[in-house]
């Protein structure tokens, strides 16, 4: 068997790749802990109020037996979402492209708008915007990930076969560049807690479960590194919605990091000057050593795309592939709260009134049940004989 046919060829990580993966995982773990401690429980309760789901933690008092959740907050979300969608899509051209003031020919922009309109329809951009708007109303922050890829498009075609009156009818396959907008739940999104916007953050990441066959296909076509990937274990905090039971078969946990990393860590070579730096640091004072360590980690950074599977397999690590070094993330917040990244939505603003309505309705139903089927407790041993 040749070296190129060895099953484990290319699986081992270089020193820089290991350091890069540790750099990304350590930072995203810290960001995840901060997000979960401050927002996760609240977001889960917002989702239950919106969907009408009940759990024991949602009781207003220990003796409460009714489980009804009034649809007031759902109605408020639907009304506001309908108004926003009417404002966006209520006319034929729901987007516009401004022409350059020095351009005397407006025909090029008209053609561009026509092509964009067709592409947006094929890639279902309207549907994605609707879902992002809904996420914003429920959780306070709607997030979308831009995915650019080449796709194949089939269309009916007719071809002359050289015989008068006859033609071959079939399907013609063409390639096109597809730009999809993928809605992302805030429970699957990580960002530097020190940042108030995407551009201010050191980086951001999307973590989610992906079908195993998708990752294997990426390895087969060369998009991902080949590595001995396996199935991911269950993780309730990573599920975008709350279900009674979650399907945890044939899927991989994938972390896509968009942000700054030390430039030297993108080098795939085995040689690294880390050991030499550590020797130099031992000879320096404590303050000088701290400065050197920070400069090593944050002194020379570059925008990159890093994809990690199951917290331990590096699938891809490349400099930012986009021409303008943009991070392919869009964020919508119905109301911005000064001093924090995540915004405020309809559920957060109507939370207290929703809880008051639920408490009043449940108390009324509990009292009605007691009046309909009155009950009392007694000690039968104290009753007179023959009573």
């Amino acid at each position: 068997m040749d070296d190129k046919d060895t099953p484990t060829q290319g699986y081992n990580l270089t020193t820089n790749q290991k350091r890069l993966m540790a750099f990304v995982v350590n930072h995203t773990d810290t960001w995840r802990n901060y997000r979960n401690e401050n927002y996760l429980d609240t977001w889960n309760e917002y989702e239950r109020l919106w969907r009408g789901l009940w759990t024991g933690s949602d009781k207003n008092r220990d003796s409460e037996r009714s489980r009804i959740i009034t649809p007031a907050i759902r109605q408020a979300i639907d009304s506001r979402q309908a108004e926003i969608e009417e404002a966006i899509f209520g006319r034929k051209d729901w987007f516009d492209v401004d022409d350059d003031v020095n351009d005397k020919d407006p025909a090029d922009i008209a053609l561009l708008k026509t092509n964009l309109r067709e592409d947006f329809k094929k890639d279902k951009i309207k549907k994605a915007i609707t879902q992002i708007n809904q996420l914003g109303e429920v959780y306070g922050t709607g997030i979308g990930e831009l995915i650019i890829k080449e796709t194949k498009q089939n269309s009916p075609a007719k071809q002359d076969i050289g015989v008068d009156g006859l033609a071959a009818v079939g399907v013609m396959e063409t390639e096109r560049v597809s730009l999809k907008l993928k809605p992302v739940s805030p429970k699957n999104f990580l960002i530097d807690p020190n940042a108030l916007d995407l551009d201010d953050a050191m980086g951001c990441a999307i973590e989610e479960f992906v079908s195993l066959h998708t990752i294997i296909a990426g390895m087969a076509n060369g998009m991902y590194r080949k590595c001995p990937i396996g199935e991911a274990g269950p993780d309730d905090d990573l599920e975008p919605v709350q279900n009674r039971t979650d399907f945890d078969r044939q899927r991989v946990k994938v972390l896509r990091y968009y942000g700054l990393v030390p430039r030297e860590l993108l080098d795939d070579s085995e040689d690294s000057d880390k050991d030499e730096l550590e020797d130099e640091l031992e000879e320096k004072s404590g303050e000088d050593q701290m400065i050197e360590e920070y400069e090593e980690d944050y002194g020379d950074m570059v925008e990159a795309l890093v994809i990690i599977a199951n917290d331990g397999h590096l699938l891809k690590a490349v400099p930012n592939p986009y021409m303008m070094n943009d991070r392919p993330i869009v964020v919508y917040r119905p109301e911005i709260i000064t001093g924090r990244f995540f915004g405020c939505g309809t559920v957060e603003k109507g939370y207290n009134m929703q809880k008051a309505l639920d408490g009043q309705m449940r108390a009324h139903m509990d009292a009605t049940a007691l009046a309909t089927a009155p009950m009392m407790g007694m000690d039968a041993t104290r009753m007179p004989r023959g009573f």
Side-chain angles (χ1 to χ4, degrees):
M1 182 179 292
D2 297 336
D3 291 340
K4 63 180 180 180
D5 296 328
T6 303
T8 58
Q9 184 72 19
Y11 290 167
N12 296 329
L13 298 176
T14 64
T15 303
N16 282 341
Q17 287 174 336
K18 293 178 182 178
R19 293 173 57 198
L20 174 63
M21 191 164 61
F23 178 88
V24 173
V25 170
N26 290 339
H27 280 83
T28 53
D29 284 348
T30 304
W31 302 347
R32 185 186 306 105
N33 292 336
Y34 173 83
R35 184 205 62 187
N36 290 350
E37 291 175 359
N38 289 276
Y39 300 102
L40 187 60
D41 291 340
T42 304
W43 286 343
N44 286 334
E45 186 177 6
Y46 289 170
E47 180 191 352
R48 292 195 297 271
L49 292 176
W50 167 52
R51 295 175 57 194
L53 304 176
W54 182 91
T55 63
S57 61
D58 295 335
K59 284 185 176 182
N60 292 305
R61 63 182 191 279
D62 293 338
S63 60
E64 188 175 76
R65 304 195 61 170
S66 175
R67 300 183 178 185
I68 189 172
I69 298 177
T70 58
I73 206 71
R74 180 64 178 264
Q75 183 180 6
I77 291 173
D78 291 345
S79 298
R80 179 172 169 83
Q81 187 176 355
E83 292 177 358
I84 293 177
E85 290 184 20
E86 176 64 24
I88 298 175
F89 305 123
R91 54 187 184 276
K92 180 180 179 181
D93 290 333
W94 53 275
F95 68 91
D96 199 3
V97 180
D98 293 332
D99 199 357
D100 186 2
V101 67
N102 296 322
D103 188 2
K104 305 302 181 182
D105 182 16
D108 54 348
I109 292 298
L111 178 61
L112 177 62
K113 289 176 63 177
T114 301
N115 292 335
L116 277 176
R117 192 181 302 113
E118 293 181 357
D119 291 340
F120 285 173
K121 186 175 182 179
K122 292 177 182 177
D123 296 327
K124 300 180 175 60
I125 299 298
K126 279 188 177 182
K127 179 181 178 181
I129 293 176
T130 298
Q131 295 179 25
I132 293 174
N133 180 25
Q134 187 180 77
L135 290 172
E137 297 304 323
V138 176
Y139 301 106
T141 308
I143 303 168
E145 180 183 16
L146 297 170
I147 301 176
I148 303 175
K149 62 179 181 180
E150 293 184 358
T151 60
K152 294 181 180 180
Q153 177 180 343
N154 295 329
S155 58
K158 197 165 58 170
Q159 185 176 1
D160 188 10
I161 60 175
V163 180
D164 293 340
L166 295 178
V169 178
V171 176
M172 182 175 62
E173 186 178 88
T174 58
E175 292 187 355
R176 62 180 289 265
V177 177
S178 171
L179 173 60
K180 292 186 178 294
L181 180 60
K182 179 181 178 181
V184 177
S185 171
K187 292 189 286 187
N188 297 115
F189 183 74
L190 303 173
I191 191 169
D192 179 5
N194 296 318
L196 301 180
D197 206 346
L198 286 173
D199 296 333
D200 302 334
M202 188 187 80
C204 59
I206 295 173
E207 56 177 358
E208 61 183 358
F209 289 115
V210 178
S211 295
L212 179 60
H213 79 275
T214 304
I215 304 300
I216 300 302
M219 294 181 184
N221 61 28
M223 184 171 63
Y224 297 145
R225 289 182 62 256
K226 291 186 177 181
C227 56
I229 198 72
E231 298 181 7
D235 188 349
D236 294 338
D237 293 341
L238 199 57
E239 300 292 343
V241 294
Q242 299 175 70
N243 297 317
R244 183 173 299 177
T245 58
D246 295 315
F247 185 77
D248 57 357
R249 302 290 183 85
Q250 295 293 310
R251 65 179 187 174
V252 178
K253 178 183 176 182
V254 174
L255 174 73
R256 293 188 296 276
Y257 174 83
Y258 304 101
L260 297 172
V261 299
R263 186 185 301 273
E264 66 170 0
L265 299 187
L266 289 178
D267 184 7
D268 292 339
S269 62
E270 280 286 355
D271 295 332
S272 175
D273 56 354
K274 184 175 179 61
D275 294 336
E276 297 179 2
L277 288 173
E278 289 179 351
D279 294 339
E280 294 177 2
L281 292 177
E282 290 179 356
E283 301 176 357
K284 298 179 180 295
S285 62
E287 295 181 357
D288 293 338
Q289 181 176 347
M290 181 179 298
I291 294 174
E292 291 288 346
E293 289 177 351
Y294 283 142
E295 288 183 354
E296 178 189 355
D297 290 339
Y298 308 108
D300 184 15
M301 307 190 77
V302 61
E303 285 284 339
L305 164 62
V306 181
I307 303 178
I308 300 173
N310 291 345
D311 297 326
H313 299 286
L314 183 64
L315 296 180
K316 191 171 186 177
V318 294
N320 192 312
Y322 301 101
M323 183 175 67
M324 304 301 294
N325 277 339
D326 293 329
R327 296 168 181 173
I329 305 293
V330 292
V331 176
Y332 159 69
R333 289 163 287 191
E335 184 173 322
I336 296 176
I337 297 180
T338 303
R340 83 176 195 187
F341 172 82
F342 295 104
C344 176
T346 300
V347 181
E348 183 172 350
K349 288 186 283 188
Y351 175 82
N352 289 325
M353 182 56 67
Q354 174 71 34
K355 298 294 285 188
L357 287 173
D358 290 345
Q360 184 180 21
M361 183 63 69
R362 292 173 187 173
H364 174 72
M365 295 183 69
D366 289 347
T368 302
L370 186 60
T372 303
M375 303 176 190
M376 65 179 66
M378 59 185 298
D379 186 356
T381 62
R382 296 179 177 271
M383 294 176 58
R385 182 173 298 180
F387 178 75

